Amino acid sequence: MVDVVPPSLDHLRCFLAVVEEGSFNAAARRLGRAISVVSYAIAQLESQLDVRLFDREGSRRPQLTPAGRALLSEAHAISDDVDALLAKVRSLKQGLEPELSIAVDVMVPGSVLARLLRDFQARFPTVPLRLHIEALGAVAALVLDGRATLGIAGPDIMDMPEIERERIGSVEMVPVAAPDHALSKLDRIVPGETRKHLQLVLTDRSPLTEGRDFSVFSPRSWRLADLGAKHALLKEGIGWGSMPRHVVSGDIESGALVELQLPESTTLNYALVAMWRKDCLPGPAAVWVLDELRDRLAACAPAG
């Protein structure tokens, strides 16, 4: 087996500079080094790897040899990995989290969340993100057991001494049904009428809100753990139920769903609450997410 001496990072970066700039002179200028230093680094790298990286014969510009071309991608990868390592160290020294795990209620508008996370990536490029989308008490459960640093949960989560909480906004819920549903065909829905019809209800996958009902009027109900499935069933005319207005506004406008005027309640504000463990305070990245989400939810809230 041929013994190869591990190259230095400085020599690898000299190699990459020559390739990218097209000459030893230009590479030296970019690196702020004397050309002799760059030439020595390349010679040392070739000696350490026991391969010829550049063909210097017959051309004023150094040309990569087959071996040089073969090693170029690995040299880039090593340089990029070291840059990422240094960036991570700098962020840790600045107090940034090594990773941010967020649990978000399914009712949070997807467009708001997507734009926020796009901006998060630009602002905190060294902080990996783990995102959980859950319903009701499942968000609080992830925060409680430490799998999420920050949670954005819905209403009526039981008080837990380990958890700090702060209301940051709300989502408007609206009762809807398909146009051919019996409730949609009524000129006026009288009190008690909804109890005669199947209601689709979002259920919980955690024990924290198990057994609690949210705006359930009918004794006949189907329990679903997925908001998308509930939306699809409502459009098929299977029962009626409350949905976030931002999810069904297009369906109401197109006639695919009808907004029901219920005597019990027409609309409901589904409160959104930020939560975190008292023994694990949010770091700078989590605080930024919290502040931005509060502002963005307020900006998209209906007037009045």
Side-chain angles (χ1 to χ4, degrees):
M1 184 176 65
V2 178
D3 191 19
V4 177
V5 178
S8 76
L9 179 63
D10 184 63
H11 292 167
L12 286 174
R13 286 185 162 162
C14 286
F15 167 60
L16 293 174
V18 173
V19 173
E20 292 163 3
E21 297 297 327
S23 74
F24 283 73
N25 279 330
R29 285 195 297 271
R30 188 178 101 178
L31 297 171
R33 310 277 187 85
I35 187 172
S36 59
V37 173
V38 174
S39 297
Y40 176 78
I42 298 301
Q44 284 293 104
L45 184 59
E46 290 177 325
S47 174
Q48 290 166 339
L49 299 178
D50 195 25
V51 295
R52 191 171 179 82
L53 298 172
F54 292 104
D55 184 0
R56 303 168 179 82
E57 304 296 333
S59 173
R60 300 182 62 181
R61 296 173 63 88
Q63 302 294 316
L64 282 171
T65 63
R69 286 193 296 272
L71 296 175
L72 182 59
S73 61
E74 280 76 10
H76 272 299
I78 292 170
S79 179
D80 291 344
D81 285 347
V82 171
D83 285 340
L85 173 66
L86 295 176
K88 173 69 77 173
V89 170
R90 282 192 290 268
S91 69
L92 291 174
K93 288 185 175 181
Q94 293 168 2
L96 289 178
E97 301 91 325
E99 180 183 85
L100 180 59
S101 179
I102 307 175
V104 178
D105 192 284
V106 68
M107 300 296 184
V108 173
S111 58
V112 171
L113 184 61
R115 287 192 292 268
L116 184 147
L117 295 182
R118 177 200 61 197
D119 295 342
F120 174 89
Q121 183 183 42
R123 188 176 184 91
F124 303 101
T126 65
V127 180
L129 180 75
R130 190 181 300 272
L131 177 65
H132 307 269
I133 304 294
E134 293 289 351
L136 305 174
V139 173
L142 288 169
V143 175
L144 189 62
D145 66 17
R147 284 185 288 160
T149 306
L150 178 66
I152 308 299
D156 294 336
I157 305 299
M158 67 175 68
D159 288 333
M160 293 170 282
E162 307 95 330
I163 299 297
E164 195 73 68
R165 65 183 69 200
E166 173 192 344
R167 177 164 174 159
I168 62 168
S170 63
V171 171
E172 184 183 8
M173 304 291 291
V174 56
V176 293
D180 59 352
H181 189 278
L183 288 174
S184 301
K185 296 177 180 179
L186 295 176
D187 294 330
R188 176 176 173 269
I189 300 175
V190 298
E193 183 66 27
T194 55
R195 296 176 55 83
K196 303 175 185 178
H197 301 273
L198 177 68
Q199 183 177 359
L200 302 186
V201 180
L202 194 67
T203 192
D204 200 349
R205 287 183 271 203
S206 88
L208 296 181
T209 48
E210 189 174 11
R212 298 190 183 190
D213 285 333
F214 303 91
S215 299
V216 178
F217 301 117
S218 175
R220 299 177 54 209
S221 62
W222 282 9
R223 308 282 167 152
L224 300 94
D226 182 78
L227 187 66
K230 180 180 178 181
H231 188 191
L233 293 182
L234 287 169
K235 291 173 70 174
E236 289 297 323
I238 303 174
W240 69 275
S242 294
M243 289 289 290
R245 184 176 289 278
H246 65 265
V247 173
V248 296
S249 58
D251 296 318
I252 295 172
E253 186 176 346
S254 68
L257 288 172
V258 174
E259 181 175 351
L260 303 176
Q261 303 299 319
L262 303 185
E264 294 90 349
S265 175
T266 52
T267 61
L268 166 74
N269 283 326
Y270 184 92
L272 293 172
V273 179
M275 55 179 55
W276 57 91
R277 288 186 62 94
K278 292 179 180 177
D279 60 1
C280 185
L281 297 178
V287 170
W288 181 90
V289 169
L290 180 57
D291 290 342
E292 286 291 318
L293 187 55
R294 184 193 302 108
D295 292 344
R296 296 180 192 213
L297 286 172
C300 71

